[in-house]
């Protein structure tokens, strides 16, 4: 009987210690989880206990887009590449994030691999939405080359398979591209605007004003040269009167002996953007120009949009967004 009591006491003592250690374990687990959550929370990515770097949200605030063509800082890049080689990704992420946020317009196609790498890092740390937003930017600059992107950029970490972008994201991005690129033409009847607007030469590139009563377009109906006649691209316009389009007229203040075309009118109708090719003051083969309407209704002198917009190559076919803050 005495031995039975001793065995019961031992059982009670063991049960007590068992529950005691379970409670201690739960407390330690919760504390560790809180520390991890605090360290890797979405709003701030912590480098150490004394410093944190704010993660920029999407929409991305690329502060240099309208200030510089191409941003580069070799010191910052060397530091990013050094930590990347060491696989110190907790140090790469905030540095690369800050660097990409300083991109100028040329960085997006000259240093696309940095945008892709930042997307991979977001993917690695579980920021799926941010990763996909960056992958979409890459696709915008490499349309139709998804396989090439996958082969080239993922080869950077060919020996680190966990660092790959999951294949399912590619399918999601393909579906995203379909929603952007697919054109569903409206059902209707195509009719010619008649010989008051069209000519026997090429007429193309139409653009309407906001009120839909003025139509601007490019035409090759004019020629220059005495011996060998050469078609000259010019901008023409026509006005809607009583549901009929009037005879097309050349935009005399803008047209020159050089080629002008691809007009785009602002909502106010006070500014026109267009392309001019082979002009001696141009930066390349074709440049984008702008002209403002004067108080008397005529167009002012054409102004080249400068090296921030134009390049040494071929720049043409301007188009404004609905909010008119993006060309």
């Amino acid at each position: 009987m005495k031995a039975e009591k001793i065995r019961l006491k031992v059982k009670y003592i063991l049960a007590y210690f068992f529950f005691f250690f379970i409670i201690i374990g739960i407390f330690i687990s919760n504390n560790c989880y809180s520390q991890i959550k605090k360290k890797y929370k979405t709003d701030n990515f912590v480098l150490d206990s004394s410093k944190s770097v704010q993660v920029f949200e999407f929409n991305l605030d690329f502060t240099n887009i309208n200030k510089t063509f191409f941003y580069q800082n070799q010191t910052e890049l060397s530091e990013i590449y050094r930590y990347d080689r060491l696989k110190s990704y907790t140090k790469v992420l905030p540095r690369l994030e800050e660097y990409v946020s300083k991109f100028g317009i040329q960085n997006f196609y000259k240093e696309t691999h940095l945008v892709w790498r930042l997307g991979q890092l977001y993917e690695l740390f579980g920021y799926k939405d941010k990763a996909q937003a960056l992958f979409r930017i890459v696709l915008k600059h490499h349309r139709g080359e998804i396989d090439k992107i996958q082969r080239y950029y993922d080869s950077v970490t060919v020996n680190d398979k966990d660092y790959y972008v999951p294949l399912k994201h590619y399918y999601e991005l393909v579906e995203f591209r379909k929603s952007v690129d697919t054109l569903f033409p409206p059902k209707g009847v195509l009719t010619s605007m008649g010989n008051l607007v069209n000519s026997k030469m090429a007429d193309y590139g139409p653009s309407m004003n906001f009120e839909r009563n003025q139509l601007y377009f490019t035409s090759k109906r004019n020629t220059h040269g005495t011996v060998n006649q050469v078609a000259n691209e010019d901008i023409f316009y026509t006005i809607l009167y009583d549901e009929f389009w009037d005879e097309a007229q050349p935009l005399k203040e803008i047209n020159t002996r050089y080629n002008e075309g691809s007009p785009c009118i602002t909502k106010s109708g006070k500014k026109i953007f267009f392309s001019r090719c082979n002009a001696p003051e141009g930066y390349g083969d074709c440049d984008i120009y702008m002209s403002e309407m004067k108080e008397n209704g005529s167009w002012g002198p054409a102004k080249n949009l400068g090296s921030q917009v134009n390049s040494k190559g071929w720049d043409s076919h301007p188009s404004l967004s609905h909010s008119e803050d993006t060309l």
Side-chain angles (χ1 to χ4, degrees), residues 207 261-264 273-275 288-289 305 315-320 327:
S207 176
S262 308
C264 173
F273 295 88
F274 61 96
S275 303
I288 297 175
Y289 287 73
L305 291 189
D315 304 293
S316 58
H317 294 279
S319 178
L320 278 171
L327 179 69

Side-chain angles (χ1 to χ4, degrees), residues 120-153:
Q120 286 181 312
L121 287 170
Y122 279 142
E123 180 67 33
L124 183 67
F125 287 102
Y127 306 144
K128 180 180 175 182
D129 292 340
K130 294 182 178 182
Q132 288 190 358
L134 287 181
F135 295 151
R136 290 186 182 116
I137 291 176
V138 172
L139 286 177
K140 284 180 67 177
H141 291 276
H142 292 271
R143 289 185 180 277
E145 299 180 356
I146 298 176
D147 294 337
K148 181 178 177 182
I149 293 169
Q150 185 177 9
R151 288 196 306 271
Y152 176 77
Y153 291 117

Side-chain angles (χ1 to χ4, degrees), residues 24-35:
I24 293 296
I26 292 173
F27 175 78
I28 293 174
S29 298
N30 286 338
N31 188 52
C32 290
Y33 174 76
S34 298
Q35 293 298 321

